[in-house]
Amino acid sequence: MANIRRYERGELLGFFEAVDQALEEPATIILIGGSAVILAYGVTTTTVDVDTLNKTTDALKLACLRAYEQTGLAPPLSQAGVAQVPECYEDRLVRHPTGGSFLALYVLERHDLAISKAFRGDDRDRQHLMAMHAAKPLDFDILVSRFRDEVMPIYVGDLRAPLAHFLWIIEELFGEMRLVKAERMLQI
């Protein structure tokens, strides 16, 4: 099996700084997933790729190639195929500095990112959430009210599996008593 390259926080920062320097026009990246957790929320882990919520432009792709040539770092950058985020996430995006002037690098606000990761609910997502919460505790009321008010009304499809993932995360982060409260708040 081929060795997959994993990227740490410092390497991601260096890559995005090089992308910023290589850009010839303004570009925006909205990070989700592991790269957002690593860059902005105190989680010391690695990632194999950079998932974005927004599409990548040709200019941004070219700048990534130039950044690779300069740094030797080439984390795959692509728009996430599936991502569930709260409805008003745009109002809460957090700008992450890149040291330059062309790249606007954003991450989801921590509770929005937590909901996104809880929604998918795989083991790596749960590990990221536990580490985020350990570094700086998430607010129970914000998580549950955003899920109730900004995810449940807009979700298309069967909500049972994502709801089960979310409630499992609530129990892991906050305990059984808060799980009961969350179920009441979500009216289930």
Side-chain angles (χ1 to χ4, degrees):
M1 177 177 237
N3 224 1
I4 296 175
R5 174 75 160 95
R6 301 196 69 81
Y7 297 89
E8 298 175 350
R9 183 178 193 280
E11 293 171 317
L12 290 173
L13 284 172
F15 177 73
F16 286 122
E17 288 170 1
V19 169
D20 193 329
Q21 292 170 3
L23 281 166
E24 296 178 2
E25 62 185 51
T28 299
I29 297 175
I30 301 172
L31 292 177
I32 61 172
S35 56
V37 169
I38 292 165
L39 278 178
Y41 297 114
V43 176
T44 55
T45 187
T46 59
T47 188
V48 297
D49 61 1
V50 175
D51 294 322
T52 69
L53 198 53
N54 59 317
K55 292 181 181 177
T56 55
T57 63
D58 289 339
L60 183 57
K61 290 175 187 174
L62 179 60
C64 288
L65 286 173
R66 290 179 181 154
Y68 167 71
E69 291 168 357
Q70 179 187 345
T71 66
L73 302 172
L77 178 76
S78 62
Q79 182 179 10
V82 176
Q84 182 68 46
V85 294
E87 188 172 31
C88 299
Y89 78 91
E90 298 100 335
D91 299 336
R92 297 182 292 264
L93 289 172
V94 178
R95 181 114 186 224
H96 198 281
T98 60
S101 58
F102 281 126
L103 180 60
L105 183 63
Y106 293 94
V107 295
L108 291 177
E109 185 275 336
R110 54 198 307 270
H111 295 89
D112 293 338
L113 182 60
I115 288 170
S116 166
K117 290 193 132 318
F119 214 88
R120 198 169 76 167
D122 74 12
D123 285 338
R124 189 141 176 95
D125 290 324
R126 289 193 292 267
Q127 291 170 3
H128 284 162
L129 284 171
M130 298 296 283
M132 279 177 63
H133 188 66
K136 182 179 179 187
L138 294 157
D139 184 287
F140 169 83
D141 291 318
I142 291 173
L143 277 176
V144 176
S145 63
R146 279 194 198 159
F147 191 87
R148 179 193 63 216
D149 301 338
E150 298 184 33
V151 173
M152 291 175 72
I154 65 167
Y155 185 71
V156 176
D158 188 347
L159 191 59
R160 285 180 290 191
L163 181 60
H165 292 159
F166 179 74
L167 291 172
W168 192 65
I169 292 298
I170 291 295
E171 184 175 21
E172 277 193 22
L173 298 180
F174 300 102
E176 190 175 338
M177 295 299 292
R178 289 286 182 95
L179 171 63
V180 172
K181 183 178 178 183
E183 290 172 334
R184 280 195 313 265
M185 289 174 69
L186 297 172
Q187 300 176 349
I188 55 172

